[in-house]
Amino acid sequence: MNKRSLWSGPYILWMIGFTVIPFCMILHYALTDRDGAFTFRNLLAMFEPVHLKAMTVSVEVAFFCTVICILLAYPLVIAMKRLGLFGKSYTILVLILPMWINFILRLLALQMILSNNGVLNHIFSILGLPPHELANTRTAMMIGIVYDYLPYMIVSIYNSVADIDDDIIEAARDLGAGSLTVFFRIILPLSVPGLLSGIVMVFVPSMTSFVTANIMAGGKIQLIGNIIEQEFITTMDWHLGSGLSVILMIFVLLSMAFTSRNDPDYGMSKIW
Amino acid sequence: MSDVILRLDGISKSFDGKQVINRLDLEIKKNEFVTLLGPSGCGKSTTLRIIGGFEKPDEGCVIFEGKDITALPPDKRHINTVFQKYSLFPHMNVEDNIAFGLKLKKKSRSYIKDKIEYALGLVNMDGYGKRMPMSLSGGQQQRVAIARAIVNEPQILLLDEPLGALDLKLRQKMQLELIKIKKEVGITFVYVTHDQEEALTMSDRIIVMNKGIIQQMGSSKSIYDEPQNAFVADFIGESNIIDGIMKRDCLVNIQGVDFECVDVGFGKLEPVDVVIRPEDLTIVKRGEGYLDGTVISEVFKGAFYEIVVKVSDYEWLIQSVNPAAVGSIVGLTIIPDNIQIMHKPISEDAEVIKDE
């Protein structure tokens, strides 16, 4: 070991203590039963209807939240590109300001806003609109997830889009491209690295979230994360919980591998 | 219809309260090679961007083939631009870059293929179609950028300091190629540069700009030989610019000595700027010229010696094929034709940029 790599020692110790050893323990629990005998049963439990359904809901929720984040992020990022330096810094400050507050506090605030007697329905009633029972629904949960992870998507895409030279966009316009063509032929392809890292940063945590479901959906929706949580905390079946975790981890790793293979710059590896 | 293809009518433009272009009028004829020449910040690039549609003028209008196109966005104009930084699309190969405009115009595949081949040949880049822009040198990228603009058969091609990023040798080669391309495709070129040599080499007509105002328009030769004010004289080539007083028609007093000249129509005893090109001054023996002075420096420049002769408090710059010994006292003479007399500038807008 040379001198410089010694500096990474504290971090390596940390990683061994809090990532490598727990991971080995999870693997051990996943592949054994209560008597300590080797088994695949905990892994195959994923294919039980209850678990499969939770997995499907998780993928759906993660997928739609990611799409919503992309649709919200691109127009903002393109608008930001036209702002001056002050406008850009100000917008980014506004974006990351909520991230300085603990996400559970943020979710509790959102819960208040969306609750049946909350701020949103109060505004609806002033406007003469019928009340919306958003509390404890999948919509409320997705609003919570999008709210939490949108800044990651915006910052990732922004980093890519800000690198595109204005001259290139002007050249496209000069050659006859309207705004839509400029977006689909120039801005979108050139921001693929940022888009992919944004997808990973939103999709993966959405897939595995369970606190958001607990708070925003009032425990009425079971994501795969909620099932795993219950196995560990309520049922105390660490073997089954570990088995489901390993399958979820494999799924997440596969989806990340898929995105990075389609990334021309392997830009994601810089972040992960 | 007249052969004027583009007319700028009273264009003004300011950025953050700073006036960049001031009531500019300009006519560009079909098939002309026009160069906007001036120091950085003189408004030449902004003028080009207004023609291209990338900036809207605060006042005035842009008339293209008799129609007002001031409000038209760049993608709706029959004008294409070659940018200073090449600005090729980095995610497309050379062919796709060139085909970009044609595909948007929904041209047939065979038409596009022929055009790409023709354009690559025109800019001497045959066989580079599948290469990515990043793998090309600066000169090659600029050739592709020219090809990409020309395939669209624009009525006017705008070139914004396209050779600025290239080294001297390559720049000179590309200048000649641009003239050749211009002859072959027969479209109007509007060229922006701060390089006076580039302007003199290529242009049919040069428009010298400073501080958002046209200082002079004319052919290369007329701009060089007969600058209308001290700014133009100073900017186009090196010059001796010195105060003089017009005694009467064809007689000017410089440094207390009367010089014969060919200029008429100035007021009696009017203070004037006198411009004399360094190559027009001849060094003679002491007492045989108009002025006597001391040689204070001599630098060999290859084709000539650059000699500085100090006469009282003014240092004359002279280009001569013969050397002169530093410290010796020599005479200076000039033929009347080569003395250029100009009115003193009325406003500071036409002031000479003094060398720092």
Side-chain angles (χ1 to χ4, degrees):
Chain A
M1 196 188 256
N2 65 31
K3 249 188 186 164
R4 204 182 303 169
S5 49
L6 276 176
W7 289 102
S8 59
Y11 176 71
I12 288 174
L13 277 179
W14 176 274
M15 283 294 285
I16 289 172
F18 294 101
T19 305
V20 178
I21 293 176
F23 180 73
C24 292
M25 284 168 71
I26 294 239
L27 265 185
H28 172 76
Y29 277 111
L31 294 171
T32 52
D33 61 17
R34 276 172 203 266
D35 304 326
F38 179 81
T39 176
F40 276 123
R41 230 186 44 220
N42 299 319
L43 300 181
L44 295 173
M46 183 56 94
F47 297 100
E48 287 167 19
V50 187
H51 300 154
L52 259 189
K53 183 165 179 274
M55 189 71 177
T56 319
V57 173
S58 296
V59 173
E60 268 175 32
V61 166
F63 175 79
F64 284 113
C65 286
T66 309
V67 170
I68 292 167
C69 283
I70 294 171
L71 293 180
L72 289 173
Y74 262 111
L76 177 74
V77 161
I78 288 165
M80 276 170 76
K81 196 170 166 58
R82 300 201 184 120
L83 290 175
L85 190 63
F86 177 78
K88 275 176 194 159
S89 338
Y90 190 76
T91 317
I92 288 181
L93 179 72
V94 167
L95 272 174
I96 59 173
L97 207 57
M99 294 168 78
W100 294 348
I101 299 162
N102 182 286
F103 88 104
I104 291 179
L105 288 180
R106 272 183 282 155
L107 287 178
L108 290 174
L110 257 185
Q111 195 186 27
M112 302 292 246
I113 293 171
L114 300 181
S115 73
N116 293 347
N117 298 316
V119 179
L120 191 69
N121 275 330
H122 187 64
I123 293 171
F124 278 172
S125 75
I126 290 171
L127 297 175
L129 296 166
H132 282 62
E133 297 199 353
L134 279 169
N136 302 338
T137 60
R138 190 195 272 209
T139 314
M141 183 180 69
M142 286 176 60
I143 290 175
I145 293 174
V146 169
Y147 186 87
D148 264 350
Y149 301 124
L150 181 60
Y152 298 102
M153 182 65 85
I154 292 171
V155 171
S156 305
I157 295 179
Y158 177 74
N159 283 338
S160 271
V161 170
D163 280 349
I164 302 173
D165 209 325
D166 286 338
D167 272 15
I168 287 175
I169 291 165
E170 286 191 349
R173 291 195 63 88
D174 187 74
L175 294 166
S179 302
L180 272 182
T181 316
V182 168
F183 178 74
F184 284 108
R185 300 287 306 277
I186 309 294
I187 294 177
L188 187 60
L190 286 177
S191 60
V192 163
L195 175 62
L196 290 180
S197 73
I199 288 175
V200 170
M201 290 212 264
V202 173
F203 185 80
V204 172
S206 315
M207 252 315 279
T208 53
S209 67
F210 60 95
V211 178
T212 315
N214 282 346
I215 296 176
M216 300 303 292
K220 287 186 181 164
I221 293 171
Q222 297 264 304
L223 297 180
I224 189 68
N226 298 103
I227 302 237
I228 294 171
E229 184 208 9
Q230 283 156 20
E231 291 302 336
F232 276 101
I233 291 172
T234 322
T235 327
M236 295 295 271
D237 187 347
W238 287 27
H239 300 274
L240 182 56
S242 300
L244 295 178
S245 301
V246 168
I247 297 289
L248 179 61
M249 211 173 336
I250 290 170
F251 188 85
V252 165
L253 286 174
L254 281 179
S255 59
M256 273 174 66
F258 178 75
T259 11
S260 76
R261 232 193 34 190
N262 288 294
D263 180 353
D265 294 353
Y266 298 104
M268 201 178 58
S269 56
K270 290 175 208 152
I271 295 155
W272 292 93
Chain B
M1 214 174 82
S2 72
D3 61 347
V4 171
I5 188 164
L6 186 95
R7 193 155 59 85
L8 299 184
D9 213 350
I11 298 280
S12 291
K13 177 79 188 172
S14 29
F15 293 109
D16 302 327
K18 191 174 174 292
Q19 187 97 350
V20 179
I21 301 175
N22 193 356
R23 271 173 281 139
L24 183 97
D25 295 313
L26 177 61
E27 280 188 347
I28 292 167
K29 294 193 186 70
K30 233 170 216 148
N31 222 345
E32 220 182 352
F33 195 135
V34 180
T35 300
L36 302 175
L37 174 67
S40 57
C42 73
K44 58 191 191 304
S45 284
T46 308
T47 307
L48 200 75
R49 290 174 61 77
I50 286 173
I51 300 175
F54 301 110
E55 304 283 355
K56 297 251 173 305
D58 300 336
E59 276 172 55
C61 44
V62 182
I63 314 287
F64 178 71
E65 295 192 310
K67 279 190 233 70
D68 187 340
I69 60 161
T70 317
L72 219 54
D75 46 310
K76 302 269 190 292
R77 300 188 180 197
H78 295 287
I79 296 173
N80 286 118
T81 310
V82 177
F83 294 86
Q84 181 172 12
K85 287 189 286 175
Y86 326 137
S87 302
L88 299 178
F89 307 127
H91 56 304
M92 299 181 193
N93 67 19
V94 169
E95 274 180 7
D96 290 338
N97 262 284
I98 297 175
F100 189 86
L102 297 175
K103 280 182 185 161
L104 289 176
K105 292 193 186 75
K106 306 255 185 289
K107 300 284 185 191
S108 76
R109 194 171 289 191
S110 61
Y111 176 87
I112 293 177
K113 196 168 166 284
D114 289 348
K115 271 285 180 185
I116 291 173
E117 213 159 292
Y118 164 77
L120 283 176
L122 190 68
V123 296
N124 274 325
M125 290 283 288
D126 304 273
Y128 282 88
K130 300 289 181 209
R131 294 274 291 271
M132 295 305 280
M134 289 301 283
S135 72
L136 302 176
S137 71
Q140 291 171 328
Q141 290 190 42
Q142 195 53 283
R143 285 160 202 258
V144 176
I146 292 166
R148 181 177 68 175
I150 279 177
V151 287
N152 299 289
E153 297 174 349
Q155 303 277 357
I156 302 177
L157 186 67
L158 307 177
L159 301 105
D160 188 2
E161 307 214 20
L163 311 181
L166 308 179
D167 64 64
L168 181 67
K169 263 275 189 297
L170 191 57
R171 206 154 66 215
Q172 288 169 341
K173 191 163 164 258
M174 288 292 289
Q175 286 171 15
L176 299 178
E177 279 188 36
L178 273 174
I179 298 172
K180 195 197 93 192
I181 291 169
K182 162 86 178 58
K183 276 195 187 126
E184 179 153 349
V185 296
I187 49 184
T188 311
F189 275 35
V190 182
Y191 194 97
V192 159
T193 183
H194 62 265
D195 181 336
Q196 45 107 358
E197 188 214 303
E198 207 165 282
L200 294 173
T201 310
M202 296 192 291
S203 323
D204 296 328
R205 193 154 61 104
I206 296 176
I207 293 157
V208 185
M209 290 181 70
N210 188 33
K211 298 190 175 170
I213 293 174
I214 294 177
Q215 303 290 334
Q216 188 172 354
M217 302 191 229
S219 68
S220 301
K221 196 161 165 46
S222 75
I223 295 258
Y224 189 84
D225 289 346
E226 293 147 39
Q228 273 165 17
N229 61 41
F231 171 80
V232 177
D234 193 56
F235 195 75
I236 309 287
E238 286 179 290
S239 291
N240 296 290
I241 302 175
I242 186 165
D243 295 333
I245 292 165
M246 213 56 193
K247 282 278 182 73
R248 54 178 162 80
D249 280 355
C250 298
L251 194 72
V252 64
N253 186 286
I254 309 165
Q255 293 194 306
V257 180
D258 287 344
F259 283 71
E260 269 180 64
C261 61
V262 293
D263 299 78
V264 295
F266 290 85
K268 201 164 163 57
L269 295 177
E270 181 185 332
V272 290
D273 280 330
V274 181
V275 171
I276 297 176
R277 296 285 180 195
E279 67 269 26
D280 291 336
L281 282 163
T282 313
I283 292 180
V284 292
K285 283 200 192 110
R286 181 179 188 171
E288 287 181 8
Y290 286 104
L291 299 164
D292 283 335
T294 318
V295 178
I296 59 169
S297 84
E298 180 214 67
V299 179
F300 182 59
K301 290 272 189 179
F304 54 84
Y305 291 90
E306 195 173 88
I307 297 162
V308 178
V309 173
K310 189 167 179 167
V311 179
S312 62
D313 60 349
Y314 188 79
E315 292 177 359
W316 291 88
L317 185 70
I318 300 138
Q319 289 170 2
S320 161
V321 290
N322 299 315
V326 173
S328 63
I329 294 175
V330 296
L332 293 178
T333 189
I334 183 164
I335 59 166
D337 257 352
N338 288 335
I339 296 178
Q340 180 71 26
I341 312 282
M342 298 173 306
H343 293 284
K344 286 274 186 194
I346 306 158
S347 69
E348 60 146 11
D349 288 336
E351 221 177 302
V352 185
I353 297 177
K354 293 268 191 263
D355 290 327
E356 298 293 321

